[in-house]
Amino acid sequence: MVQFLDPRAGVAAPVEPYGLAADWSAGPPTIGLLANGFPDSVAFLDQVGEAIRRRLPDVVLHAWNKGNASAPASDQLLDGIAAEVEAVVAAYGH
């Protein structure tokens, strides 16, 4: 007889709703997409950007690629991103 086990654990902590929101009073927010340089990180964030646009068609998206997965993002890159966007999605490929 084969017994199948469910690998999912029970919830150990209460679910807390996410309470932050973008300020739309000055127009749609700008969201940055930061790829870290791993293969497919740009392609993955392209898909994330498309999903964001489906939910928020007016949002402005800007994309960056750190270019080298083994090195941290430079202060200059991070400062430039922070000056242009209200939020950032950072991701890596595989």
Side-chain angles (χ1 to χ4, degrees):
M1 171 184 226
V2 175
Q3 180 182 8
F4 293 97
L5 302 175
D6 186 345
R8 297 173 291 183
V11 177
V15 175
E16 295 182 28
Y18 188 78
L20 297 178
D23 180 8
W24 287 69
S25 63
T30 301
I31 298 174
L33 304 172
L34 175 60
N36 76 347
F38 272 114
D40 295 327
S41 58
V42 171
F44 175 74
L45 283 175
D46 287 344
Q47 295 295 312
V48 170
E50 288 179 21
I52 290 170
R53 283 205 189 279
R54 281 193 298 273
R55 292 286 304 242
L56 305 167
D58 296 330
V59 76
V60 178
L61 297 174
H62 289 283
W64 289 270
N65 183 357
K66 187 171 68 90
N68 183 349
S70 64
S74 69
D75 288 341
Q76 181 180 10
L77 174 63
L78 296 176
D79 290 344
I81 293 170
E84 291 190 39
V85 302
E86 286 78 36
V88 176
V89 176
Y92 57 90
H94 53 297

